[in-house]
């Protein structure tokens, strides 16, 4: 209840003259409230409206003991927000006529497990394949399969979560298949594609695609345990998993990427609006993803984004089209009470984005 009253009060505070200064003050107060209320060791937030950066704020240090103050260049693991880089590459190649979303992925990756060969590219993107994860989420200390193909084999031996095209069931295995689609179509490694098509054109100087060699100054990550923020165990992700969740980036780089997407610099805006519709099941129900982006609506706004490890979240909001849009990037390195990234982003959106 206190949090709701805080948001209402802050929204009222920024509705009159001097909105820019009031907005800065209100969002600073909200970030402080989030840090204190949820025990967030470090966080970094940006909000952009069209071509104008309207807010940047940071709290905390890179580690609970002996850390450095957070800056826009501090590296954070972005977990499954990494999938948006994969989605962008897929849509670029669709625009170039090199990938058909409605085709089975086996058209591009003939050596997929037999049971997967009728599953379409868009079904992998939207997590409606029914495939299980390629790793054991209950025992992350177990060694990962040694190669991409071995990961497919491991996943193919696990029970499926549902039949294809029946319901949304999130799985990192889907993005290992999309990684192979990209590599087979272009005859280039996934990391090289991201460098060539996204990182270099946008000047993302602090974005890392090597999970086995994380940046030295990256934030320490924490999880909630008995009301405390406890250091996460080390997980040695294989390099082939980068397409599904292992990119490290910074506030400035990730906001630059998200703004470039919303500005149509990577995929044309009219194409994005076409692709950004929730997946439609045969029974008329809608899935939770739109070409791999989490989809929602808030008032007149379409919301497209993605969570990362429950700790980070990015979001694009637009109305009838992308001519008027907002970008929100909210990075944290954990908390003490299992607050979800959606709650944090919603708290900023309630203040910064007019209903």
């Amino acid at each position: 209840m206190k949090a709701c009253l805080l948001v209402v009060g802050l929204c009222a505070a920024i509705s009159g003259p001097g909105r820019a200064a009031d907005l800065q003050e209100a969002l600073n107060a909200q970030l402080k409230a989030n840090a204190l209320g949820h025990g967030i060791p470090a966080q970094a937030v940006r909000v952009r409206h069209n071509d104008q950066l309207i807010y940047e704020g940071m709290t905390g240090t890179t580690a609970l003991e002996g850390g450095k103050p957070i800056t826009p260049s501090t590296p954070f693991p972005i977990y499954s927000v990494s999938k948006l880089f994969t989605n962008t590459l897929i849509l670029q190649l669709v625009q170039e006529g090199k990938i058909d979303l409605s085709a089975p992925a086996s058209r591009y990756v003939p050596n997929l497990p037999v049971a997967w060969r009728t599953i379409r590219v868009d079904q992998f993107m939207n997590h409606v394949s029914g495939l299980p994860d390629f790793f054991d989420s209950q025992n992350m200390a177990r060694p990962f399969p040694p190669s991409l193909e071995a990961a497919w084999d491991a996943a193919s031996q696990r029970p499926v979560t549902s039949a294809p095209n029946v319901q949304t069931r999130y799985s990192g295995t889907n993005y290992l298949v999309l990684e192979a689609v990209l590599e087979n179509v272009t005859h280039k490694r996934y990391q090289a594609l991201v460098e060539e098509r996204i990182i270099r054109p946008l000047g993302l100087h602090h974005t890392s695609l090597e999970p086995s060699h994380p940046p030295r100054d990256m934030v320490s990550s924490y999880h909630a345990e008995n009301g405390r923020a406890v250091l996460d165990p080390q997980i040695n992700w294989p390099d082939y998993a980068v397409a599904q969740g292992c990119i490290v980036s910074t506030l400035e780089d990730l906001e630059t990427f998200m703004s470039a997407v919303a500005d149509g610099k990577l995929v044309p805006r009219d194409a994005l609006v076409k692709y950004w519709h929730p997946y439609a099941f045969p029974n008329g129900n809608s899935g939770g993803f739109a070409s791999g982006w989490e989809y929602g609506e808030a008032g007149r706004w379409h919301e497209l984004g993605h969570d990362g490890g429950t700790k980070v979240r990015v979001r694009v909001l637009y109305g009838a089209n992308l001519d008027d849009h907002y970008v929100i990037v909210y990075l944290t390195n954990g908390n003490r009470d299992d607050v979800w990234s959606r709650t944090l982003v919603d708290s900023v959106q309630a203040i910064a984005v007019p209903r």
Side-chain angles (χ1 to χ4, degrees):
M1 185 64 168
K2 290 181 180 179
C4 293
L5 291 174
L6 175 62
V7 169
V8 170
L10 293 176
C11 289
I14 62 173
S15 60
R19 173 173 164 77
D22 288 340
L23 180 64
Q24 184 79 23
E25 182 179 351
L27 287 172
N28 283 342
Q30 187 64 57
L31 259 64
K32 183 177 180 180
N34 289 348
L36 293 174
H38 301 295
I40 299 171
Q43 57 184 346
V45 178
R46 272 190 178 183
V47 182
R48 183 175 291 274
H49 182 214
N50 298 328
D51 61 353
Q52 181 182 7
L53 182 65
I54 62 174
Y55 179 72
E56 177 180 277
M58 291 142 283
T59 70
T61 56
T62 55
L64 285 173
E65 296 183 10
K68 298 178 181 178
I70 300 301
T71 75
S73 299
T74 299
F76 282 75
I78 64 170
Y79 306 99
S80 286
V81 171
S82 306
K83 291 180 173 68
L84 299 186
F85 288 75
T86 304
N87 294 336
T88 299
L89 293 174
I90 291 284
L91 294 182
Q92 285 182 340
L93 293 171
V94 170
Q95 287 296 107
E96 295 168 17
K98 297 175 182 176
I99 293 177
D100 180 353
L101 292 178
S102 63
S106 58
R107 174 185 294 182
Y108 312 104
V109 189
N111 61 327
L112 284 179
V114 173
W116 303 2
R117 292 182 186 176
T118 60
I119 302 174
R120 304 193 311 258
V121 175
D122 65 329
Q123 292 171 334
F124 286 109
M125 288 183 78
N126 289 295
H127 298 284
V128 299
S129 68
L131 299 185
D133 267 318
F134 63 97
F135 57 90
D136 183 357
S137 61
Q138 303 303 311
N139 184 7
M140 297 299 291
R142 290 183 61 180
F144 288 96
S147 67
L148 190 62
E149 292 76 11
W152 297 342
D153 184 57
S156 69
Q157 295 180 39
R158 294 177 179 273
V160 297
T161 57
S162 73
N165 208 27
V166 171
Q167 58 182 320
T168 302
R169 297 300 296 264
Y170 190 83
S171 171
T173 303
N174 293 314
Y175 277 70
L176 298 191
V177 174
L178 295 175
E179 177 182 345
V181 169
L182 289 166
E183 292 187 340
N184 284 10
V185 167
T186 63
H187 306 291
K188 296 180 180 179
R189 292 185 68 239
Y190 176 84
Q191 288 87 340
L193 285 171
V194 178
E195 287 277 355
E196 175 186 306
R197 289 174 170 261
I198 298 176
I199 289 179
R200 286 202 298 269
L202 299 183
L204 308 184
H205 300 299
H206 303 289
T207 296
S208 170
L209 297 156
E210 299 181 63
S212 58
H213 297 87
R216 290 183 179 179
D217 54 346
M218 185 173 72
V219 297
S220 298
S221 293
Y222 300 84
H223 64 278
E225 190 173 300
N226 299 322
R228 298 184 304 120
V230 177
L231 192 66
D232 281 345
Q234 178 70 34
I235 299 176
N236 298 313
W237 288 98
D239 284 347
Y240 67 73
V242 67
Q244 64 88 39
C246 301
I247 291 177
V248 174
S249 193
T250 65
L251 179 65
E252 57 190 358
D253 272 14
L254 198 51
E255 185 267 311
T256 295
F257 166 67
M258 291 295 294
S259 293
V261 170
D263 290 338
K265 294 179 180 178
L266 298 173
V267 178
R269 281 178 167 179
D270 58 343
L272 284 176
V273 171
K274 179 180 70 174
Y275 297 130
W276 279 351
H277 286 281
Y279 183 84
F281 290 106
N283 62 6
N285 291 338
S286 295
F289 291 86
S291 295
W293 293 66
E294 290 184 20
Y295 180 86
E297 295 179 0
R300 70 183 183 90
W301 300 103
H302 303 279
E303 297 178 343
L304 282 301
H306 214 287
D307 167 76
T310 75
K311 298 173 183 177
V312 305
R313 183 174 287 271
V314 296
R315 183 178 289 169
V316 174
L317 299 103
Y318 72 96
N321 55 57
L322 282 159
D323 291 344
D324 185 26
H325 67 266
Y326 285 82
V327 167
I328 303 174
V329 175
Y330 202 128
L331 306 180
T332 82
N333 65 339
N335 55 74
R336 66 163 183 252
D337 66 353
D338 275 332
V339 65
W340 192 23
S341 64
R342 183 184 298 279
T343 301
L344 300 176
V345 170
D346 285 349
S347 73
V348 168
Q349 181 173 319
I351 298 168
V353 180
R355 299 283 293 187

